[in-house]
Amino acid sequence: MEINELTPAEQQVWRAFATGAAVDFRAEDDEDVAQGAHWGPERTIRATVVRALLLNGPQEPGEISALKLSGARVTGVLDLRYGTTEFAVRLSHCHFDEVPQLYGARFRQLNLSDSVLPGLVAATVQVDGVLRLTGCRFGGTVRLGGAHISGALFLDGARFSASDGWDGALHLNHVSVGDDLWAPGLQADGEVRLNSAEVAGSLRLNDARLSSPGGPALDAETLTVHGDVLMRHVRSQGWIGLRGARVEGRLELSHARLSNPGDTALRASSCTLGELWLRKSPPMQGILNLRRAQIDVLFLEPEVLPAEVLLSDLVYTSLTPHAPAERRLPMLECDGDGYVPYSYEQLAASYRRIGDDDAARLVQLAKQRRLRTTRSWYGRIWGYVQDATVGYGFRPLRAAVWLLSLLAVGSIAYALHHPHALKASEAPHFNPVFYTLDLLLPVISFGQEDAFAPDGWYQYLSYALIITGWILATTVVTGVTRTVSRQ
């Protein structure tokens, strides 16, 4: 392309390129780039001129050529598919009339900050440095799937809007980022895809707004992040999916508002997390799915939990903050999978690890009561008996109270009406207290029960004491055995 074929504005950009000088067509720093379609020829650059500069632009000895352009309207399609440019590219505060085609292109560095574009096709693009889309506004789908970015990816304050609802707003699937993926304040009207992406640093989505009602607001299946995933103050309509994701640091959703009524709000099943923080937030509107997840530290405040959770095979080492078992148990009772024994064992184990044995016993008692609801009618009756007598062995002092009460009843009854001796000449002196103990304790014998036989209703009282004694004995032994086996 010859310089005499260029407009005055294009000639200015062409000459500045050779020395890497910046060209700024903006009348004011805060002008609205969305009105760029009305900018005149004095700040209009054809996409073919930009393409010619990036592929074969002029260079001067001793100078570093670069395209540094602000406040321009770019007309036509910027087609750099499969092209390679060795120059730094900054097209900030620019208005693009057509969707740039950057599929398979390679850049040293690409900066489109604060520009307005109808979309972007840049799948499998390679950027040896930083890709910066800070503050950009996209009117259609942005396709960066399979991109390889050696440095950081900046999406802070960017706005994405899907032109076709089914196609999503931002495609970052299979992307590889060698540093942080920085996207605080990102706004997406449509699906954001991060499935199978890999981020060497941290993923920051603080204050993001994600909207895809009834569908995937953020699909990050099998995402790998070697640092943290920070989503403080995030707002989402639609589900956030992290199934199979791996986050070596923490996944933080403090002060987040997740909403997907009637379906799952957060899908983190089968994922591996260093830490999961769910705190300082209103209850999720939707289901929390943590099935088969493996978490080192689960920072979960009970107030954050929705009306239904899915916790089957969830494994966590530490559960914080420390809260009474009464506040944690509703989490297990609202499990959509019904009675899940392993969930109770996990919660009890977390209390035992911090030395709160009373809370662990309360969880185990709740487990037995929940199990009771799954059994047949006669099993439930036996469960109620065990619960009322000794609390399934987790409240052994209750057995002592029952024994003392029955001992008092039996001693008074048989003191007022002595049972007759079976063999008067061989019978020992009758003692109502030890006679009652003989009836209550199935193993120990004081010689009273075999020597005396009550009659009338006193005989039925002896039967009741024998049966009650066996029930108390078996439940206490069961509780002791359970306690020993846990140790």
Side-chain angles (χ1 to χ4, degrees):
M1 180 172 289
E2 299 295 334
I3 193 169
N4 56 11
E5 299 175 354
L6 306 178
T7 65
E10 293 170 346
Q11 290 179 16
Q12 183 180 353
V13 174
W14 190 277
R15 293 190 181 98
F17 178 85
T19 60
V23 177
D24 191 347
F25 290 122
R26 290 179 294 169
E28 298 176 353
D29 289 343
D30 59 349
E31 67 180 359
D32 187 3
V33 183
Q35 302 299 318
H38 304 294
W39 292 342
E42 72 281 359
R43 56 192 303 185
T44 298
I45 307 297
R46 289 172 292 169
T48 53
V49 175
V50 175
R51 182 178 188 273
L53 283 172
L54 295 180
L55 297 181
N56 194 25
Q59 301 183 54
E60 291 187 10
E63 299 291 345
I64 301 175
S65 300
L67 178 60
K68 300 178 181 178
L69 178 59
S70 300
R73 175 188 178 187
V74 181
T75 59
V77 177
L78 177 57
D79 189 351
L80 287 169
R81 286 176 289 184
Y82 305 106
T84 299
T85 179
E86 300 296 333
F87 312 110
V89 181
R90 189 186 72 197
L91 293 166
S92 61
H93 300 87
C94 291
H95 185 281
F96 290 78
D97 288 354
E98 304 289 340
V99 177
Q101 300 291 325
L102 308 181
Y103 184 93
R106 183 168 185 174
F107 296 86
R108 174 174 293 181
Q109 184 166 313
L110 179 59
N111 185 346
L112 298 175
S113 296
D114 298 301
S115 293
V116 174
L117 306 92
L120 178 63
V121 177
T124 71
V125 70
Q126 294 187 54
V127 181
D128 296 333
V130 171
L131 174 57
R132 191 178 294 272
L133 301 177
T134 299
C136 285
R137 284 175 280 178
F138 296 94
T141 303
V142 174
R143 305 177 188 276
L144 284 166
H148 183 85
I149 302 164
S150 300
L153 171 58
F154 290 90
L155 300 170
D156 43 314
R159 303 179 190 176
F160 301 88
S161 179
S163 54
D164 297 319
W166 64 270
D167 203 23
L170 174 60
H171 295 187
L172 289 170
N173 43 300
H174 299 279
V175 71
S176 175
V177 181
D179 203 331
D180 288 349
L181 199 168
W182 186 273
L186 176 147
Q187 298 182 36
D189 183 11
E191 178 185 357
V192 176
R193 298 178 186 172
L194 264 170
N195 45 301
S196 299
E198 182 173 4
V199 180
S202 295
L203 169 58
R204 302 172 187 270
L205 280 164
N206 298 330
D207 299 296
R209 301 292 183 268
L210 309 173
S211 179
S212 182
L218 174 63
D219 185 0
E221 181 177 322
T222 65
L223 167 71
T224 299
V225 178
H226 297 281
D228 300 325
V229 176
L230 304 179
M231 301 178 69
R232 304 187 195 107
H233 299 279
V234 74
R235 303 288 186 272
S236 72
Q237 292 183 320
W239 54 264
I240 293 178
L242 292 161
R243 188 176 70 85
R246 180 172 174 265
V247 180
E248 295 183 9
R250 76 177 181 275
L251 169 60
E252 183 176 350
L253 285 157
S254 301
H255 305 279
R257 293 179 179 269
L258 309 185
S259 176
N260 193 30
D263 201 348
T264 303
L266 176 60
R267 299 179 178 178
S269 56
S270 302
C271 64
T272 302
L273 308 174
E275 300 180 19
L276 173 59
W277 288 25
L278 297 170
R279 55 188 288 274
K280 305 298 182 183
S281 303
M284 291 184 195
Q285 297 181 25
I287 301 170
L288 170 62
N289 186 348
L290 294 176
R291 286 177 177 148
R292 301 175 299 280
Q294 297 187 35
I295 305 169
D296 289 338
V297 178
L298 179 57
F299 196 126
L300 176 62
E301 293 182 346
E303 296 80 10
V304 177
L305 291 171
E308 183 178 351
V309 298
L310 300 173
L311 305 176
S312 179
D313 295 320
L314 167 65
V315 177
Y316 51 88
T317 303
S318 174
L319 178 62
T320 58
H322 179 67
E326 294 85 353
R327 294 183 61 202
R328 294 289 186 191
L329 286 171
M331 170 178 69
L332 309 183
E333 294 166 359
C334 65
D335 196 322
D337 292 327
Y339 169 61
V340 180
Y342 186 75
S343 298
Y344 287 88
E345 294 297 331
Q346 275 282 291
L347 182 56
S350 70
Y351 279 118
R352 284 196 294 271
R353 274 191 290 270
I354 61 175
D356 194 344
D357 292 332
D358 291 338
R361 283 192 292 270
L362 186 58
V363 173
Q364 293 283 1
L365 177 58
K367 174 188 172 184
Q368 295 299 321
R369 288 172 173 170
R370 186 77 181 277
L371 174 62
R372 182 176 67 207
T373 63
T374 67
R375 291 181 168 171
S376 57
W377 66 270
Y378 49 85
R380 292 196 296 271
I381 292 176
W382 175 241
Y384 282 118
V385 172
Q386 287 184 304
D387 195 358
T389 53
V390 292
Y392 287 98
F394 294 105
R395 293 179 176 174
L397 289 179
R398 187 180 293 180
V401 174
W402 277 102
L403 284 172
L404 290 175
S405 301
L406 293 172
L407 177 62
V409 171
S411 299
I412 293 173
Y414 292 119
L416 296 175
H417 185 86
H418 290 193
H420 64 274
L422 295 176
K423 294 183 180 180
S425 59
E426 300 178 2
H429 175 72
F430 178 75
N431 187 308
V433 175
F434 284 96
Y435 180 74
T436 306
L437 283 174
D438 252 355
L439 296 174
L440 286 173
L441 303 178
V443 178
I444 300 174
S445 175
F446 296 100
Q448 295 282 314
E449 182 182 0
D450 296 334
F452 299 94
D455 52 13
W457 74 269
Y458 294 98
Q459 184 177 16
Y460 293 106
L461 175 61
S462 69
Y463 295 157
L465 292 173
I466 292 172
I467 294 172
T468 306
W470 273 103
I471 292 174
L472 290 172
T474 54
T475 51
V476 168
V477 169
T478 301
V480 171
T481 303
R482 187 183 295 115
T483 301
V484 172
S485 65
R486 288 200 304 270
Q487 301 299 326

XYZ file of all heavy atoms in Angstrom, residues 265-301:
293
model
N -27.802 -23.484 41.613
C -27.161 -22.163 41.583
C -25.644 -22.302 41.472
O -25.004 -21.541 40.747
C -27.527 -21.375 42.837
N -25.064 -23.286 42.183
C -23.614 -23.507 42.138
C -23.359 -24.997 41.998
O -23.726 -25.777 42.871
C -22.938 -22.978 43.400
C -21.424 -23.235 43.522
C -20.674 -22.586 42.363
C -20.892 -22.741 44.855
N -22.740 -25.390 40.876
C -22.384 -26.783 40.638
C -20.878 -26.932 40.804
O -20.101 -26.526 39.949
C -22.783 -27.210 39.225
C -24.272 -27.120 38.946
C -24.607 -27.525 37.522
N -26.039 -27.470 37.278
C -26.606 -27.737 36.105
N -25.841 -28.071 35.065
N -27.914 -27.672 35.963
N -20.470 -27.501 41.941
C -19.047 -27.717 42.207
C -18.792 -29.190 42.486
O -17.953 -29.545 43.313
C -18.589 -26.855 43.381
N -19.504 -30.057 41.792
C -19.354 -31.494 42.012
C -18.048 -31.989 41.397
O -17.565 -31.456 40.400
C -20.538 -32.252 41.404
O -20.669 -31.944 40.023
N -17.474 -33.003 42.033
C -16.267 -33.682 41.538
C -15.082 -32.731 41.360
O -14.177 -33.013 40.582
C -16.559 -34.398 40.208
O -17.611 -35.329 40.354
N -15.094 -31.607 42.056
C -13.979 -30.666 41.919
C -12.999 -30.857 43.077
O -13.316 -31.466 44.099
C -14.480 -29.226 41.876
S -15.279 -28.681 43.390
N -11.796 -30.336 42.903
C -10.758 -30.394 43.921
C -10.350 -28.973 44.254
O -9.865 -28.242 43.389
C -9.544 -31.188 43.414
O -9.961 -32.511 43.035
C -8.482 -31.289 44.491
N -10.546 -28.576 45.512
C -10.306 -27.200 45.927
C -9.414 -27.173 47.156
O -9.565 -27.994 48.067
C -11.626 -26.495 46.257
C -12.747 -26.550 45.202
C -14.014 -25.925 45.756
C -12.321 -25.848 43.924
N -8.489 -26.212 47.173
C -7.721 -25.999 48.394
C -8.632 -25.474 49.489
O -8.642 -25.992 50.602
N -9.402 -24.445 49.164
C -10.362 -23.877 50.103
C -11.608 -23.440 49.341
O -11.512 -23.015 48.188
C -9.774 -22.662 50.838
C -8.523 -22.968 51.653
C -7.978 -21.736 52.353
O -8.740 -20.756 52.511
O -6.792 -21.746 52.733
N -12.741 -23.530 50.009
C -13.998 -23.006 49.467
C -14.593 -22.079 50.512
O -14.880 -22.512 51.632
C -14.976 -24.128 49.129
C -16.383 -23.695 48.708
C -16.331 -22.801 47.469
C -17.283 -24.893 48.452
N -14.761 -20.806 50.143
C -15.324 -19.817 51.058
C -16.716 -19.425 50.597
O -16.888 -18.851 49.523
C -14.447 -18.561 51.100
C -13.138 -18.754 51.823
C -12.459 -19.915 51.998
C -12.347 -17.734 52.437
N -11.289 -19.699 52.681
C -11.188 -18.370 52.964
C -12.492 -16.358 52.572
C -10.198 -17.658 53.621
C -11.500 -15.652 53.231
C -10.370 -16.293 53.761
N -17.705 -19.728 51.427
C -19.096 -19.302 51.213
C -19.510 -18.565 52.478
O -19.903 -19.178 53.470
C -19.997 -20.509 50.952
C -19.707 -21.328 49.690
C -20.519 -22.620 49.690
C -20.003 -20.518 48.442
N -19.423 -17.233 52.419
C -19.606 -16.457 53.654
C -20.147 -15.064 53.335
O -20.037 -14.571 52.213
C -18.281 -16.316 54.411
C -17.163 -15.716 53.583
C -15.813 -15.768 54.282
N -15.716 -14.839 55.360
C -15.343 -13.561 55.241
N -15.058 -13.068 54.035
N -15.293 -12.776 56.285
N -20.742 -14.465 54.369
C -21.222 -13.087 54.305
C -22.149 -12.851 53.116
O -22.117 -11.802 52.480
C -20.037 -12.113 54.232
C -19.014 -12.244 55.338
C -19.596 -11.965 56.701
C -18.521 -12.059 57.784
N -19.096 -11.866 59.146
N -22.977 -13.828 52.818
C -23.871 -13.744 51.664
C -25.287 -14.123 52.077
O -25.478 -14.872 53.037
C -23.402 -14.684 50.546
O -22.078 -14.402 50.164
N -26.277 -13.645 51.348
C -27.644 -14.128 51.585
C -27.766 -15.563 51.090
O -26.921 -16.038 50.328
C -28.503 -13.180 50.751
C -27.585 -12.698 49.674
C -26.218 -12.640 50.283
N -28.793 -16.286 51.520
C -28.956 -17.673 51.051
C -29.037 -17.750 49.530
O -29.660 -16.916 48.874
C -30.283 -18.107 51.704
C -30.449 -17.204 52.873
C -29.844 -15.896 52.472
N -28.372 -18.740 48.970
C -28.447 -18.957 47.525
C -29.889 -19.227 47.115
O -30.631 -19.904 47.823
C -27.608 -20.164 47.123
C -26.137 -19.984 47.244
S -25.266 -21.442 46.615
C -23.629 -21.145 47.283
N -30.247 -18.726 45.961
C -31.561 -19.022 45.401
C -31.383 -20.116 44.352
O -31.158 -19.843 43.174
C -32.172 -17.761 44.796
C -32.418 -16.662 45.811
C -33.051 -15.440 45.189
O -33.716 -15.527 44.160
N -32.854 -14.287 45.795
N -31.447 -21.339 44.818
C -31.185 -22.486 43.961
C -30.477 -23.558 44.766
O -30.301 -23.439 45.979
N -30.035 -24.587 44.108
C -29.423 -25.746 44.763
C -27.907 -25.579 44.800
O -27.303 -25.117 43.836
C -29.804 -27.038 44.017
C -31.320 -27.218 43.975
C -29.157 -28.259 44.671
C -31.784 -28.330 43.047
N -27.304 -25.974 45.922
C -25.849 -26.033 46.042
C -25.419 -27.482 45.868
O -25.802 -28.346 46.649
C -25.404 -25.522 47.414
C -23.927 -25.728 47.783
C -23.026 -24.985 46.809
C -23.662 -25.291 49.218
N -24.634 -27.753 44.829
C -24.213 -29.121 44.501
C -22.719 -29.268 44.780
O -21.888 -28.707 44.063
C -24.522 -29.425 43.032
C -24.229 -30.881 42.667
O -23.600 -31.620 43.430
N -24.680 -31.311 41.510
N -22.377 -30.046 45.835
C -20.982 -30.327 46.187
C -20.706 -31.831 46.170
O -19.796 -32.306 46.852
C -20.664 -29.756 47.577
C -20.692 -28.235 47.722
C -20.446 -27.829 49.173
C -19.671 -27.587 46.814
N -21.460 -32.570 45.390
C -21.263 -34.023 45.343
C -19.837 -34.369 44.899
O -19.301 -33.793 43.964
C -22.233 -34.659 44.349
C -23.675 -34.737 44.804
C -24.515 -35.313 43.692
N -25.911 -35.486 44.046
C -26.896 -35.376 43.173
N -26.644 -35.078 41.913
N -28.142 -35.557 43.562
N -19.242 -35.300 45.611
C -17.928 -35.883 45.273
C -16.795 -34.854 45.254
O -15.717 -35.129 44.748
C -17.972 -36.617 43.928
C -18.998 -37.757 43.888
C -19.083 -38.361 42.508
N -19.501 -37.389 41.518
C -20.756 -37.013 41.319
N -21.739 -37.542 42.037
N -21.049 -36.118 40.384
N -17.036 -33.660 45.782
C -15.973 -32.654 45.826
C -14.969 -33.004 46.921
O -15.319 -33.636 47.930
C -16.559 -31.270 46.077
N -13.724 -32.592 46.724
C -12.667 -32.787 47.709
C -12.110 -31.413 48.061
O -11.535 -30.731 47.217
C -11.572 -33.693 47.167
C -12.069 -35.102 46.848
C -10.943 -36.033 46.484
O -9.848 -35.946 47.017
N -11.206 -36.937 45.551
N -12.277 -31.040 49.326
C -11.936 -29.691 49.776
C -11.092 -29.797 51.047
O -11.478 -30.485 51.993
C -13.207 -28.864 50.046
C -14.116 -28.856 48.803
C -12.856 -27.449 50.466
C -15.504 -28.291 49.062
N -9.961 -29.107 51.060
C -9.133 -29.107 52.271
C -9.791 -28.287 53.376
O -9.953 -28.759 54.489
C -7.733 -28.566 51.965
C -6.908 -29.533 51.125
O -7.231 -30.734 51.134
O -5.963 -29.092 50.452
N -10.153 -27.058 53.078
C -10.781 -26.171 54.065
C -12.117 -25.695 53.504
O -12.157 -25.034 52.463
C -9.881 -24.966 54.392
C -10.587 -24.040 55.387
C -8.539 -25.423 54.950
N -13.193 -26.026 54.201
C -14.532 -25.587 53.805
C -14.962 -24.487 54.768
O -15.281 -24.740 55.932
C -15.510 -26.758 53.843
C -16.969 -26.455 53.482
C -17.077 -25.832 52.104
C -17.823 -27.711 53.568
N -14.931 -23.254 54.281
C -15.364 -22.098 55.077
C -16.814 -21.831 54.692
O -17.094 -21.169 53.694
C -14.483 -20.889 54.771
C -14.591 -19.780 55.790
C -13.466 -19.272 56.401
C -15.825 -19.244 56.138
C -13.553 -18.249 57.333
C -15.929 -18.225 57.068
C -14.785 -17.731 57.670
N -17.715 -22.337 55.494
C -19.138 -22.317 55.145
C -19.943 -21.791 56.312
O -19.978 -22.402 57.381
C -19.600 -23.726 54.762
C -21.088 -23.911 54.462
C -21.506 -23.066 53.274
C -21.397 -25.377 54.208
N -20.579 -20.662 56.109
C -21.477 -20.126 57.124
C -22.882 -20.675 56.885
O -23.378 -20.634 55.753
C -21.487 -18.594 57.072
C -20.155 -17.991 57.486
C -20.176 -16.470 57.474
O -21.128 -15.893 56.897
O -19.238 -15.873 58.031
